[in-house]
Amino acid sequence: MRKAQRRLQRGALLVELVIGAAVLGLVIAYVLDMQRQNDVQLKAKSDAEAQSMFIQVASQYFLNNRTAYDAAMDTGVSANQYCMLGVNADGTGGTQANSTTLHTCAFDATLLVAKGLWPEGLSTETKDGRFTVILRRIYDATPAATGGHEAFFVLASPSGALTSASMNRDTSTALAAGKASLGTVGGYVPVGNMGGCSAVRSTSTYQACGEGWQVNLSNFISPTELTTFGNALPN
């Protein structure tokens, strides 16, 4: 009887060890996941700080050269100097990016590097894209320029190609952390419908939204670029 009890006790002990190991495994997995989420948040905040720097420097550069930018958006004059993407550090190369139809002009952080305006040691891009601004001169129904402008700051693909978009836990965590760091100027382009904001290929609805603001991407990028963007969406 005692031998049987000892065998039962040893059996119970083994079960407890197995359960204990399983619980420990879950705890370790949870801690590792928490650490990964913390890393995602820290990276998103760091990227948001760099984006904030780009917003400040790019905005000042536009204001200092406002007349030239208006001309580039109206007629294309000097667009090959002010509306440039992927510029080499010495100021050569790059791709002209303006539309006299949409009255837009885009440039990215590489132009600021070439102009000696970008902070030394600060990257011009993140894993999600390069710091880019699309400027738009506002016209009324006449049409006549109102004197107003809009600036849409984005992370743009340097190659022009986009991978399939999806919303997962890491993306949601990064989005929340980045948006919190940028405050009211921060926003997002959803995958599908999110909080009254839509990016849905089947209805050709492409929006970007933030706290108290919403824009249609069709006001800033060409139909061809919209098609490229839409093809990266799952719906």
Side-chain angles (χ1 to χ4, degrees):
M1 183 70 177
R2 290 179 180 175
K3 289 181 179 179
Q5 286 178 337
R6 283 197 295 271
R7 283 197 297 272
L8 286 173
Q9 288 171 350
R10 284 198 296 271
L13 180 60
L14 287 173
V15 170
E16 288 169 2
L17 286 173
V18 171
I19 292 175
V23 171
L24 179 61
L26 290 174
V27 170
I28 291 175
Y30 175 74
V31 171
L32 290 175
D33 186 65
M34 286 294 292
Q35 181 60 52
R36 186 168 62 84
Q37 291 301 306
N38 286 337
D39 291 343
V40 169
Q41 288 182 337
L42 289 174
K43 181 64 169 64
K45 290 178 180 178
S46 176
D47 290 345
E49 289 173 0
Q51 178 73 294
S52 180
M53 175 62 70
F54 175 70
I55 291 172
Q56 294 178 46
V57 179
S59 297
Q60 190 60 54
Y61 184 67
F62 161 70
L63 292 173
N64 291 344
N65 299 278
R66 184 168 179 164
T67 301
Y69 273 108
D70 282 348
M73 288 183 273
D74 285 345
T75 64
V77 172
S78 298
N80 61 346
Q81 299 178 47
Y82 293 95
C83 311
M84 298 296 293
L85 306 173
V87 181
N88 296 322
D90 63 0
T92 62
T95 303
Q96 184 175 322
N98 71 294
S99 170
T100 55
T101 301
L102 295 174
H103 303 294
T104 57
C105 169
F107 67 90
D108 61 23
T110 63
L111 180 64
L112 300 178
V113 171
K115 298 296 181 181
L117 301 173
W118 191 243
E120 186 176 352
L122 184 63
S123 178
T124 58
E125 59 191 67
T126 75
K127 68 178 182 65
D128 296 314
R130 183 175 291 151
F131 300 120
T132 304
V133 59
I134 308 172
L135 302 167
R136 175 174 175 259
R137 196 174 191 196
I138 301 174
Y139 276 66
D140 60 24
T142 306
T146 65
H149 299 81
E150 289 180 325
F152 185 36
F153 293 88
V154 299
L155 291 175
S157 168
S159 68
L162 298 177
T163 57
S164 296
S166 63
M167 185 61 72
N168 52 42
R169 186 178 180 186
D170 283 357
T171 304
S172 298
T173 299
L175 177 64
K179 192 169 177 295
S181 295
L182 287 170
T184 56
V185 301
Y188 61 93
V189 177
V191 178
N193 297 296
M194 183 187 299
C197 197
S198 300
V200 182
R201 185 176 62 211
S202 60
T203 60
S204 298
T205 304
Y206 305 117
Q207 299 173 326
C209 306
E211 188 176 333
W213 60 266
Q214 183 181 89
V215 299
N216 292 318
L217 299 189
S218 58
N219 290 332
F220 292 89
I221 60 178
S222 70
T224 300
E225 292 166 326
L226 276 178
T227 298
T228 300
F229 174 77
N231 288 339
L233 296 174
N235 51 6

